[in-house]
Amino acid sequence: HGSAPDIAGTSVANPVGSIWSTALMLEHLGHHTWAEAVQRAIRLAVASSAARTQDLGGTASTRQAGDAIIALLDQTHQEAGELASAS
């Protein structure tokens, strides 16, 4: 938990920073489409109160928040594939 060892093992840490760092690395490596997809999934997840951790006024656990972002990323990836095959 980096700078918050007091919450280690309590499942209340917000995973957005860790996931966002992945988007930044993807951007740095030139994978702009994937970086934007990760950032979009984060934005959509945080917009939903069900996917917010306690620090953002929600009740989601670390795993629930991360799973919500992954599900949105999977959905975005699937939609992008459908759009590509339709054109």
Side-chain angles (χ1 to χ4, degrees):
H1 292 290
S3 63
D6 57 318
I7 62 171
T10 63
S11 205
V12 298
N14 188 330
V16 169
S18 294
I19 297 169
W20 202 313
S21 69
T22 301
L24 293 173
M25 181 59 74
L26 288 166
E27 181 73 28
H28 176 74
L29 294 172
H31 300 287
H32 306 290
T33 303
W34 275 106
E36 176 54 36
V38 172
Q39 291 174 358
R40 177 176 157 74
I42 291 169
R43 285 192 302 272
L44 291 171
V46 172
S48 168
S49 60
R52 289 186 202 138
T53 50
Q54 289 180 8
D55 62 317
L56 298 178
T59 59
S61 68
T62 303
R63 180 176 298 271
Q64 289 168 330
D67 287 349
I69 294 169
I70 291 168
L72 287 163
L73 185 58
D74 287 344
Q75 178 184 339
T76 302
H77 182 256
Q78 182 178 7
E79 289 170 358
E82 289 169 3
L83 290 174
S85 64
S87 52

